Amino acid sequence: MLEFKEHRKDELLEFRSLMDNLYLEIIDSGDPDRIKIKNIEQIQRKLIEINKVMSESRIKNLLGNLKIEFDVSQMILKTAGAIGAGTLFNFPVGVSAALGFASSFINVKSELGLKPKSIPEELKDYAYLYYASKDLV
């Protein structure tokens, strides 16, 4: 547990700052019981949001970040090159042409990794709670 606390020191300091601000909001309010309930509900909502963001489906993230681009300008050059290479290696001309044609203008890219690398900035104050529930439970 002490290793966890030391490893997550920055997140702990952010969470302590958040808690201090929530405490000040409670004692400065005219209705401390209501503000306390509101703040507890807010913390619960933020934890649900963090868990949702950090455990999104790998397929959903992958499909959401794929880009398919078409570049017709390279089509003729790469098709001819593939036919030439296919001829050198005794590949059927039709297969070489088809492979060169397809590879010439279709690009598939993935913009981001499959899972989020870190907690989104707007949820950083709650990161310590997320990691505590994930790593210590």
Side-chain angles (χ1 to χ4, degrees):
M1 189 151 168
L2 293 176
E3 285 179 32
F4 173 82
K5 190 175 175 181
E6 183 59 35
H7 180 70
R8 298 287 175 197
K9 185 178 179 182
D10 293 339
E11 289 97 346
L12 178 58
L13 293 175
E14 288 293 323
F15 183 65
R16 282 182 181 166
S17 175
L18 170 73
M19 294 304 292
D20 288 343
N21 290 335
L22 295 178
Y23 172 76
L24 292 174
E25 183 181 345
I26 291 169
I27 63 171
D28 289 344
S29 76
D31 188 358
D33 291 333
R34 178 64 201 128
I35 297 298
K36 183 172 132 183
I37 291 168
K38 178 192 80 93
N39 287 336
I40 290 170
E41 290 170 352
Q42 177 184 335
I43 291 170
Q44 290 171 337
R45 281 192 312 274
K46 294 296 184 178
L47 281 175
I48 290 168
E49 190 176 339
I50 289 173
N51 282 315
K52 183 179 174 185
V53 167
M54 296 302 284
S55 65
E56 283 184 333
S57 161
R58 292 177 187 263
I59 299 294
K60 181 180 174 186
N61 274 332
L62 178 63
L63 293 177
N65 295 312
L66 278 181
K67 277 190 174 182
I68 299 176
E69 299 173 344
F70 296 96
D71 183 6
V72 180
S73 64
Q74 293 291 313
M75 181 180 59
I76 295 172
L77 180 63
K78 287 191 177 182
T79 301
I83 291 171
T87 303
L88 284 174
F89 296 107
N90 295 323
F91 252 54
V93 173
V95 173
S96 300
L99 291 174
F101 179 76
S103 69
S104 67
F105 67 94
I106 300 173
N107 276 331
V108 179
K109 298 178 185 177
S110 179
E111 292 273 314
L112 300 172
L114 296 177
K115 289 193 92 175
K117 292 186 176 110
S118 64
I119 292 177
E121 193 62 39
E122 66 273 11
L123 299 171
K124 290 280 188 191
D125 292 344
Y126 303 90
Y128 185 76
L129 292 179
Y130 168 76
Y131 289 119
S133 69
K134 181 178 167 251
D135 296 345
L136 296 177
V137 174

